[in-house]
Amino acid sequence: MSIWMNRGLLLYCGAVAVILGAVFGSFLNCAAWRIAHGESFLRGHSRCPSCGHELGARDLVPVLSWVFQRGRCRYCGVKISVRYPLTELAFALLTLLCLLRFDLSVLCLRNWIFLCCLFCLSLVDLDSYTIPDGSLLIAAGVWLAALPFLKPTWGEILRAVLAGLAFGGGLLLLSLVMDKVLKRESLGGGDVKLFAVVGLYLGFVGTLFCMMLSCVLGLIFAAARNRGGEKGKAIPFGPAISLAAALTLLYGDGAIQWYLSLLGL
């Protein structure tokens, strides 16, 4: 069944995708905060990070709770970061785009879970400058688990695995060399492992495009951070890689063909 069969089905599935995305955006934001602070996201109820009060159902409605409570905790009155509704809206949009791009399919589910992992690890990296191995293991495990359903050829599987090994191993070697030259860490181990997992999903050409795009996005993020009064502060690279990977996953085919056409290829 395809969402493009009729307009009613498209609107219904799109609305479900937006609601589901907002709910999972809230969950991923909570999970990222707990991971960054060394807590388990699998146990315990949601609570206010300021007063510690356990949150009720009316406090946990994505976006709307923040709007109706005017961006403040209902119990202690402390201002709640705008990050909460923004992450919920962002992942709602990302979920909708994933559905529109891949339709109702196993590929859509696989890629959506990959986007969940990218989203969560980006938020963790922003808070703690670390990329959790758990997100990478889930993404790699889902890629492997989806193979029997997607039924790629052995050649396609081999090329994906080689892409992961090539980019992960190549960047690891490059980072070791640059560490010695610069006398400091040039690229974190989490970033290297992230590119290895990205290679599984995007292949050689897609991951190369993702790498170039992530460098551009990283420079934009750094410039924005400097203008925001955080000049000289370390810049987490995970969010730039993740955004580049998400854009390549959703729209990379067209962008790569356009870029190759400019080169006359």
Side-chain angles (χ1 to χ4, degrees), residues 15-223:
V16 171
V18 169
I19 295 171
L20 181 68
V23 170
F24 268 83
S26 178
F27 167 75
L28 293 171
N29 186 38
C30 175
W33 188 90
R34 292 193 183 190
I35 292 170
H37 290 80
E39 300 180 17
S40 171
F41 64 90
L42 297 176
R43 296 192 301 271
H45 296 283
S46 296
R47 62 184 186 278
C48 172
S50 298
C51 66
H53 196 288
E54 187 176 304
L55 302 180
R58 61 183 291 192
D59 305 309
L60 299 173
V61 181
V63 182
L64 297 180
S65 290
W66 188 89
V67 172
F68 291 143
Q69 292 167 198
R70 299 180 180 180
R72 294 186 178 277
C73 173
R74 188 158 59 93
Y75 306 99
C76 65
V78 169
K79 188 175 181 180
I80 301 172
S81 172
V82 72
R83 163 174 160 168
Y84 289 87
L86 289 181
T87 53
E88 292 160 0
L89 288 171
F91 201 70
L93 176 61
L94 205 56
T95 300
L96 177 62
L97 294 177
C98 185
L99 174 66
L100 296 177
R101 174 65 178 81
F102 300 106
D103 209 337
L104 292 173
S105 64
V106 173
L107 182 61
C108 180
L109 178 60
R110 186 202 73 169
N111 290 342
W112 180 72
I113 296 175
F114 180 47
L115 292 174
C116 285
C117 294
L118 292 176
F119 198 79
C120 182
L121 68 86
S122 297
L123 295 176
V124 175
D125 201 19
L126 283 171
D127 286 339
S128 64
Y129 297 96
T130 58
I131 293 178
D133 289 337
S135 294
L136 301 176
L137 289 173
I138 291 173
V142 167
W143 178 85
L144 184 62
L147 292 179
F149 301 95
L150 299 177
K151 299 179 180 178
T153 65
W154 284 107
E156 290 171 334
I157 295 173
L158 180 60
R159 285 193 292 272
V161 172
L162 289 177
L165 292 174
F167 281 95
L171 287 174
L172 176 60
L173 180 61
L174 178 63
S175 67
L176 292 175
V177 173
M178 293 301 294
D179 288 351
K180 286 188 174 295
V181 173
L182 300 175
K183 306 297 183 182
R184 60 181 176 82
E185 187 179 83
S186 57
L187 189 66
D191 299 330
V192 172
K193 289 181 283 187
L194 176 54
F195 268 116
V197 174
V198 168
L200 295 176
Y201 283 83
L202 302 183
F204 280 101
V205 177
T207 306
L208 181 60
F209 181 80
C210 170
M211 183 179 293
M212 293 188 293
L213 182 58
S214 65
C215 291
V216 174
L217 292 173
L219 292 174
I220 294 174
F221 290 167

Side-chain angles (χ1 to χ4, degrees), residues 3-14:
I3 60 172
W4 304 103
M5 290 175 60
N6 60 70
R7 184 176 297 180
L9 181 62
L10 175 61
L11 292 175
Y12 172 76
C13 291

